[in-house]
Amino acid sequence: MSAVAEAPLPIQMTDAAAKKVKTLITEEENPELKLRVYITGGGCSGFQYGFTFDEKINEGDTVVEKNGVTMVIDPMSLQYLVGGSVDYSEGLEGSRFLVTNPNATTTCGCGSSFSI
């Protein structure tokens, strides 16, 4: 009898990101909310990251659960994010969600735009 190993997730969410998402969902008083991460065209470098809250999981979405919260990514965006992680940072430059993306060949100074 062999054990079935879980496949590694194509993208990770850090504890800091999960904690912030949980705080924001609590403030919104809607436990159905999920963090949706997506890629759009534009920004300084060609593509930019986007974050929003969504109540539903669409067909084909990748679902990442961490510490009681859910992050979803559509298939089109996921192809640019495989191997990356979503983090949350608070510092002198403000607070924001950040994506660490090993697929990005260049990024801009704002950290929300990249090219492949």
Side-chain angles (χ1 to χ4, degrees), residues 30-80:
N30 183 352
E32 298 301 312
L33 292 176
K34 296 139 187 59
L35 177 66
R36 180 167 292 281
V37 180
Y38 59 93
I39 303 293
T40 59
C44 323
S45 300
F47 295 102
Q48 58 188 9
Y49 305 109
F51 303 92
T52 189
F53 282 107
D54 198 339
E55 290 185 346
K56 61 185 176 180
I57 299 171
N58 298 324
E59 185 176 333
D61 280 351
T62 293
V63 177
V64 176
E65 294 184 4
K66 176 96 175 200
N67 300 342
V69 299
T70 303
M71 176 174 71
V72 294
I73 304 103
D74 66 272
M76 182 75 151
S77 297
L78 183 63
Q79 66 183 331
Y80 299 108

